[in-house]
């Protein structure tokens, strides 16, 4: 039987790991929150969804337990924050089977980092669209049921692509899965969607739905995505239909950010859903802003250009994380174009 490790078993990792376990697969949880591990060891993991409330017994280990493990894993699903990718891959690398694969099921363009550690034949990237939260150990509130959850997986070599098909079969216990023949472009498309909503709404301490109602903010959110689209095209990425879209849906490059914003807003995010960035700030943690809006701004600068909206988003997030200001609706002024409303 395929041996699977889920490295990072918070809201998304925990619910996916529970799905795979319930599907009869051999799954090991590896987690950095000790109280969460203790809770899972006592009573399993509970995943509350709109259509189900499930308790699943799981095998859970703390990060410090990894050095005690001896059997190797065929598949490692990495669901830590994007900025933790490198150390997480180095941690688990000794336990990956010779022909095994590490899959980054994360926001951000993390595949190159995984390849640096594991090699291209043993690395996969993935796009994920699941809305979930975790504020209590052992409890996931997943707003996106399995019937609406969506993944795309892919690699950079023929060997990796063969493994992507195997991983897709495993992940179908948790949602709809496609194999992408250009995973870097597919992941960039998700980056476009993330640029529109994750940090922009969190800066206002609002949900995506609420933030879009603030005068001028929907335009800001869409333009952050437009900058990401333009930067991706300049880098050689192609526009790909992700999240269940068709090629016709994304035929017009100037409308891609709007289409992605609307599809995520309407299909995947419930009105009260807090983005992962807002959840991080509520918990006192730093966000992935530098791997999302900051990545677009940095790549655009490297190409000799500017991404002013994304730059403003990064600066607002910096001020919040350094506690110069608090997130809230009044912070919209930091994101709106200079002179807006005058």
């Amino acid at each position: 039987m395929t041996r699977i490790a889920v490295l990072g078993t918070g809201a998304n990792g925990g619910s996916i790991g529970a799905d795979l376990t319930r599907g009869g697969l051999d799954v090991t949880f590896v987690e950095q929150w000790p109280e969460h591990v203790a809770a899972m060891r006592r009573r399993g993991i509970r995943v509350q969804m709109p259509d189900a409330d499930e308790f699943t017994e799981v095998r859970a280990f703390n990060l410090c337990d990894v050095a005690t493990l001896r059997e190797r894993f065929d598949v490692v699903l990495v669901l830590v924050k994007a900025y933790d990718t490198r150390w997480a891959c180095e941690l688990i690398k000794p336990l990956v089977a010779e022909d095994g694969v590490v899959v980054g099921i994360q926001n951000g363009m993390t595949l190159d980092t995984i390849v640096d550690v594991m090699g291209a034949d043993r690395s996969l990237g993935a796009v994920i669209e699941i809305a979930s939260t975790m504020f209590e150990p052992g409890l996931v509130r997943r707003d996106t049921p399995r019937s609406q959850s969506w993944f795309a997986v892919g690699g950079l070599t023929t060997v990796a692509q063969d493994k992507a098909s195997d991983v897709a079969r495993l992940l179908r216990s948790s949602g709809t899965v496609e194999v992408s023949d250009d995973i870097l472009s597919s992941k960039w498309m998700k980056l476009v969607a993330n640029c529109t909503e994750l940090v922009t709404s969190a800066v206002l301490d609002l949900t995506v739905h609420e933030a879009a109602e603030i005068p001028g903010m929907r335009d800001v959110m869409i333009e952050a995505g437009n900058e990401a689209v333009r930067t991706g095209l300049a880098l050689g990425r192609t526009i790909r239909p992700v999240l269940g879209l068709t090629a016709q849906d994304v035929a017009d490059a100037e409308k891609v950010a709007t289409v992605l914003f609307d599809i995520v807003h309407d299909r995947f995010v419930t009105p009260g859903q807090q983005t992962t960035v807002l959840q991080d700030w509520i918990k006192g943690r730093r966000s992935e802003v530098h791997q999302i809006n900051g990545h677009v701004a940095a790549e655009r600068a490297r190409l000799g250009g500017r991404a002013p909206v994304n730059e403003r988003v990064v600066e607002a997030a910096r001020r919040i994380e350094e506690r110069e200001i608090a997130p809230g609706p009044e912070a919209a002024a930091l994101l709106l174009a200079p002179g807006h409303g005058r």
Side-chain angles (χ1 to χ4, degrees):
M1 178 180 288
T2 301
R3 299 192 71 244
I4 303 165
V6 181
L7 179 51
T9 59
N12 286 345
S15 63
I16 293 168
D19 287 341
L20 270 57
T21 300
R22 296 177 75 85
L25 299 169
D26 183 340
V27 183
T28 297
F29 284 39
V30 180
E31 172 56 38
Q32 58 183 320
W33 185 12
E35 291 82 3
H36 183 32
V37 173
M40 290 190 290
R41 286 175 171 176
R42 285 196 307 271
R43 57 180 182 268
I45 189 167
R46 182 181 184 183
V47 182
Q48 295 178 325
M49 293 177 280
D51 55 356
D53 188 352
E54 299 172 345
F55 288 84
T56 306
E57 291 187 9
V58 297
R59 186 168 58 252
F61 294 89
N62 290 291
L63 287 182
C64 60
D65 296 322
V66 169
T68 71
L69 303 178
R70 292 295 178 266
E71 292 187 71
R72 294 197 169 197
F73 298 106
D74 304 296
V75 176
V76 176
L77 308 180
V78 175
L79 288 107
V80 298
K81 293 294 182 182
Y83 50 70
D84 286 331
T85 301
R86 185 173 297 277
W87 70 254
C89 289
E90 293 286 5
L91 175 75
I92 207 68
K93 182 177 180 179
L95 293 175
V96 181
E98 201 63 37
D99 60 348
V101 64
V102 173
V103 190
I105 307 181
Q106 304 160 288
N107 291 322
M109 303 300 291
T110 59
L111 180 54
D112 286 343
T113 300
I114 298 171
V115 168
D116 281 348
V117 177
M118 300 302 307
D121 287 346
R122 304 172 76 200
S123 304
L124 296 177
V127 181
I128 178 174
E129 189 54 60
I130 295 178
S132 58
T133 59
M134 172 178 277
F135 288 96
E136 300 175 40
L139 173 62
V140 176
R141 290 187 172 89
R142 177 170 165 177
D143 294 325
T144 312
R146 286 183 283 265
S147 60
Q148 293 178 259
S149 300
W150 190 93
F151 304 84
V153 295
L156 303 181
T157 68
T158 301
V159 172
Q161 281 298 86
D162 289 342
K163 294 174 181 177
S165 297
D166 295 334
V167 170
R169 284 191 287 272
L170 301 176
L171 285 174
R172 290 190 179 109
S173 294
S174 200
T176 300
V177 189
E178 298 179 8
V179 176
S180 172
D181 59 6
D182 183 357
I183 191 60
L184 291 177
S185 291
S186 294
K187 284 188 67 64
W188 195 275
M189 291 292 287
K190 179 62 189 301
L191 182 69
V192 171
N194 287 343
C195 281
T196 67
E197 61 177 29
L198 293 189
V199 189
T200 51
S201 60
V203 166
L204 309 187
D205 194 25
L206 297 174
T207 68
V208 175
H209 291 77
E210 293 167 338
E213 296 300 318
I214 299 292
M217 274 304 302
R218 177 182 166 85
D219 291 342
V220 168
M221 298 163 90
I222 297 300
E223 184 56 22
N226 285 334
E227 290 179 355
V229 171
R230 298 179 198 119
T231 302
L233 292 174
L235 290 169
R237 307 287 174 247
T238 59
I239 295 174
R240 309 279 298 178
V242 295
L243 310 180
L245 296 173
T246 66
Q248 185 175 356
D249 291 329
V250 294
D252 186 343
E254 292 301 313
K255 296 180 180 178
V256 167
T258 301
V259 170
L260 285 172
F261 179 84
D262 288 341
I263 196 71
V264 173
H265 182 279
D266 296 338
R267 186 182 302 177
F268 294 104
V269 179
T270 57
Q273 174 70 36
Q274 297 165 325
T275 71
T276 180
V277 172
L278 185 53
Q279 292 178 55
D280 285 339
W281 287 348
I282 290 171
K283 296 172 184 176
R285 300 179 60 180
R286 61 190 171 101
S287 71
E288 295 172 304
V289 62
H290 294 294
Q291 288 72 38
I292 301 172
N293 305 84
H295 185 70
V296 171
E299 287 295 275
R300 195 73 215 181
R302 187 172 63 83
L303 294 170
R306 294 280 307 280
V309 175
N310 284 284
E311 290 171 11
R312 291 200 294 272
V313 172
V314 173
E315 175 60 13
R318 181 197 67 77
R319 294 183 65 183
I320 288 168
E321 294 189 357
E322 294 183 6
R323 293 178 170 80
E324 293 180 13
I325 61 171
E330 62 281 358
L334 299 176
L335 304 183
L336 297 169
H340 179 88
R342 294 182 183 177

